[in-house]
């Protein structure tokens, strides 16, 4: 496993060791000891796994929870997405900054999005299946959606036309109006 730093120190790209031949491939997608030692730097317990499927042009996010904050270890098993994490930690030197990375079934990369970050992705392939592990349970009553095109964040999405959004994401709020996290 190779860990790649991003411009926000706590967000990490993980490239697994992949062993392949004409029959296919094998890779380890999760190892508690290595994750804590090389990625999170602390004991990390995942309590929920999620799996979503989306079509090209769908943008999901940018979501975070004010209570039961979730760290997420995300990856794509079919297709490709442009994945984004935004620092929502009020006292962080990188508050309001974002990291974006392509995750795909081909590159097999994972992204560690720690507690205190809003998260979202845009599907660049015909379809994508996205799986992720969460460090806390989903709490719909404390979920916040940040506008995907908030000019104060200025995310460089690789859009082709207007993205397809859920009602929740159409009604998202600006970063300036969003509750900050005191993590």
């Amino acid at each position: 496993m190779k860990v790649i730093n991003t411009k926000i120190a706590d967000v990490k790209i993980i490239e697994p060791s992949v062993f392949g031949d004409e029959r296919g491939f094998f890779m380890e997608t999760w190892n508690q000891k290595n994750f804590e030692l090389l990625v999170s730097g602390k004991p990390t317990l995942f309590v929920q796994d999620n799996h979503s499927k989306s079509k090209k042009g769908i943008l999901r996010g940018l979501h975070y929870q004010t209570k039961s904050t979730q760290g997420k270890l995300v990856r794509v098993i079919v297709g490709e997405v442009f994945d984004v994490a935004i620092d929502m930690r009020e006292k962080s030197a990188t508050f309001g900054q974002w990291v974006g990375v392509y995750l795909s079934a081909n590159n097999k990369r994972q992204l560690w999005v720690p507690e205190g970050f809003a998260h979202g992705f845009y599907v660049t392939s015909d379809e994508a299946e996205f799986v992720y592990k969460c460090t806390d349970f989903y709490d719909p009553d404390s979920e916040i959606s940040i506008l995907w095109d908030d000019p104060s964040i200025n995310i460089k999405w690789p859009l082709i036309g207007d993205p397809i959004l859920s009602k929740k994401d159409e009604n998202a709020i600006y970063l300036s109006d969003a509750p900050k996290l005191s993590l």
Side-chain angles (χ1 to χ4, degrees):
M1 170 172 71
K2 178 181 175 184
V3 178
I4 302 167
N5 293 321
T6 68
K7 68 180 183 180
I8 300 177
D10 295 330
V11 178
K12 307 284 186 190
I13 300 168
I14 303 164
E15 288 186 347
S17 299
V18 179
F19 306 94
D21 59 25
E22 65 280 352
R23 299 170 298 155
F25 70 89
F26 171 85
M27 69 180 197
E28 183 177 78
T29 61
W30 171 246
N31 181 302
Q32 184 84 30
K33 182 176 75 175
N34 286 342
F35 183 82
E36 291 174 356
L37 180 68
L38 301 172
V39 180
S40 72
K42 63 180 183 177
T44 305
L45 175 66
F46 290 102
V47 299
Q48 180 177 322
D49 281 3
N50 298 324
H51 183 150
S52 72
K53 182 176 181 178
S54 304
K55 295 178 182 177
K56 187 173 194 160
I58 290 177
L59 193 149
R60 295 186 185 270
L62 301 151
H63 306 143
Y64 71 102
Q65 295 180 179
T66 56
K67 299 175 188 166
S68 306
T69 57
Q70 295 178 308
K72 297 175 182 173
L73 181 60
V74 303
R75 68 188 178 106
V76 171
I77 59 170
V78 173
E80 179 185 72
V81 306
F82 183 71
D83 198 73
V84 172
I86 301 171
D87 194 344
M88 296 301 297
R89 301 169 299 175
E90 184 174 33
K91 296 176 184 167
S92 170
T94 56
F95 172 79
Q97 294 181 28
W98 63 277
V99 169
V101 63
Y102 285 95
L103 303 177
S104 71
N106 288 337
N107 70 23
K108 298 177 180 41
R109 285 181 160 185
Q110 298 180 67
L111 187 68
W112 168 236
V113 180
E115 293 88 349
F117 285 75
H119 174 258
F121 63 89
Y122 174 73
V123 180
T124 58
S125 56
D126 288 338
E127 66 179 18
E129 291 193 39
F130 192 87
V131 296
Y132 52 108
K133 304 176 92 48
C134 300
T135 61
D136 210 331
F137 298 102
Y138 177 62
D139 179 8
D141 294 332
S142 74
E143 185 177 43
I144 304 293
S145 294
I146 302 292
L147 279 169
W148 67 273
D149 61 348
D150 183 330
S152 72
I153 305 168
N154 197 27
I155 298 170
K156 305 294 186 215
W157 297 101
L159 299 178
I160 300 173
D162 292 330
I164 303 163
L165 305 172
S166 69
K167 291 292 182 205
K168 173 175 64 178
D169 294 337
E170 286 177 354
N171 296 313
I173 61 176
Y174 288 102
L175 176 67
S176 60
D177 297 328
K180 314 313 182 254
L181 298 174
S182 59
L183 299 175

